[in-house]
Amino acid sequence: MICEEAHKLIHPYLDGELDLVRNLEIEAHLRDCQACAQAYNELRSLRSAVSDTALRFEPPVALRNRIRAGVRDESEITNRPWRLSRRWVIPAVTFASLVIVAWVLVVDSAL
Amino acid sequence: MQEESKTAQFEAIALPHFGAAYNLARWLVQDDRDAEDVVQEAYMRAFKFFGGYRGGDSRSWLLTIVRNTCYTWLQSNRSRELSEPIADKLDEVGISTENPETILLQTVDAKLVRQALEERPIEFREVLIMREMEDLSYKEISNIADLPIGTVMSRLARGRKRLRELLVSSMSKETLN
């Protein structure tokens, strides 16, 4: 293998994306060619720098809970359209009582 | 009963990828609160589309939705960041051979790496995050980002090359100071 070819394959080699034959070829080249071997080592150290867990962003726990609550709400709303969602029960009952009271008052005063 | 089990099934499939989803979104939109909003919206969308999920790689399925939600969000909130598409040169899959001294990138401060990654255009940043942090294969990245595998490969190579240059220059600046 010539260096130019190795340069093209070194990333997929690092990423474990090469087939067995190509793997063996590039490994042989890296044993023989110091410049390519060094370039490969630098790529490996770059990888370990980027994959450092300190660079990961950890999600807030509250977000997970919000997502679960959101999914449960959504599932209630979309899957039981004939039933009132729990959060509307109190306003609905209140509104219905007011209508009845108002109606009774109107009928009473009309008589 | 049935809805109950659909919700439970969704949670069992989508919640294990919560960490990966947030990490990707946070690296793409680059803000804590915005990332939270985007991830929550992505999960709601995923739940809506859950009927169409036919098994298989659940992480790729969820991350595709997360990435799409990020791009939709960026388009309406920070369209400038997306306005200059990069030119993909497929033959530019090389390595840096300049600078022959060994650079000890293992010792590089995580803060410098974070800064260098943040400065990379989103097209390179996303493939680097998916490959190096989430350990996704070229095939998986190609599916999630809807890119040909050759483009994934060349963006990774260019992304690494530029990242290395940035780190080397910021490290030598630090040594000088």
Side-chain angles (χ1 to χ4, degrees):
Chain A
M1 186 181 282
I2 53 165
C3 291
E4 201 188 336
E5 206 180 335
H7 289 180
K8 279 191 182 139
L9 295 179
I10 204 159
H11 289 275
Y13 173 64
L14 176 78
D15 294 320
E17 297 276 351
L18 292 183
D19 59 52
L20 182 66
V21 176
R22 292 276 184 174
N23 252 313
L24 292 173
E25 282 174 4
I26 197 158
E27 275 166 12
H29 180 80
L30 290 179
R31 271 195 301 272
D32 296 340
C33 174
Q34 222 189 333
C36 284
Q38 189 175 326
Y40 175 65
N41 285 335
E42 283 185 16
L43 277 179
R44 278 181 53 186
S45 66
L46 181 68
R47 131 125 356 131
S48 68
V50 179
S51 59
D52 184 345
T53 48
L55 290 175
R56 281 190 78 88
F57 288 102
E58 292 303 330
V61 181
L63 177 61
R64 189 190 173 95
N65 296 335
R66 276 211 302 281
I67 288 172
R68 296 192 67 188
V71 166
R72 283 170 194 281
D73 265 4
E74 183 69 23
S75 138
E76 271 188 21
I77 293 164
T78 53
N79 293 308
R80 299 177 193 172
W82 62 92
R83 267 167 64 172
L84 283 168
S85 163
R86 229 172 297 164
R87 70 176 120 160
W88 293 111
V89 169
I90 292 173
V93 169
T94 312
F95 181 72
S97 325
L98 282 176
V99 169
I100 292 167
V101 169
W103 185 76
V104 168
L105 287 178
V106 169
V107 171
D108 257 11
S109 59
L111 285 175
Chain B
M1 265 321 258
Q2 221 185 340
E3 285 79 45
E4 203 47 49
S5 76
K6 185 196 166 195
T7 313
Q9 230 179 336
F10 174 76
E11 288 188 350
I13 280 169
L15 279 182
H17 311 303
F18 176 56
Y22 181 79
N23 187 50
L24 179 63
R26 178 61 183 73
W27 274 105
L28 293 187
V29 302
Q30 300 189 300
D31 178 89
D32 288 342
R33 289 301 304 270
D34 296 336
E36 287 186 37
D37 290 347
V38 165
V39 171
Q40 181 155 18
E41 201 194 319
Y43 266 89
M44 296 314 291
R45 279 200 208 179
F47 184 62
K48 226 173 269 176
F49 302 148
F50 189 50
Y53 172 68
R54 296 274 170 266
D57 183 358
S58 56
R59 184 170 57 159
S60 292
W61 174 72
L62 186 76
L63 291 183
T64 304
I65 300 172
V66 170
R67 180 185 174 275
N68 287 342
T69 313
C70 285
Y71 271 78
T72 311
W73 187 90
L74 286 168
Q75 247 144 25
S76 42
N77 293 280
R78 286 196 226 133
S79 54
R80 247 178 313 144
E81 273 175 49
L82 300 174
S83 59
E84 281 170 54
I86 54 143
D88 283 301
K89 293 169 211 147
L90 283 174
D91 54 338
E92 211 185 319
V93 188
I95 47 174
S96 340
T97 40
E98 84 279 11
N99 204 340
E101 324 95 89
T102 306
I103 309 289
L104 292 171
L105 284 175
Q106 286 105 323
T107 60
V108 67
D109 186 359
K111 221 169 58 194
L112 288 181
V113 184
R114 184 185 296 273
Q115 207 180 353
L117 262 174
E118 276 169 352
E119 285 166 13
R120 302 304 302 124
I122 191 164
E123 291 87 350
F124 299 105
R125 208 187 320 134
E126 64 176 2
V127 292
L128 285 166
I129 301 305
M130 287 192 266
R131 179 63 211 125
E132 313 289 30
M133 290 189 195
E134 303 303 339
D135 207 25
L136 292 160
S137 70
Y138 289 6
K139 184 87 183 65
E140 288 169 316
I141 299 172
S142 135
N143 286 337
I144 293 168
D146 195 20
L147 293 170
I149 288 192
T151 307
V152 172
M153 211 165 108
S154 71
R155 285 191 186 175
L156 259 179
R158 285 174 72 191
R160 282 171 175 157
K161 194 175 165 194
R162 186 78 188 110
L163 194 65
R164 181 185 164 280
E165 288 164 4
L166 285 170
L167 288 176
V168 168
S169 86
S170 60
M171 277 175 91
S172 49
K173 252 184 247 158
E174 277 217 332
T175 350
L176 283 177
N177 288 338

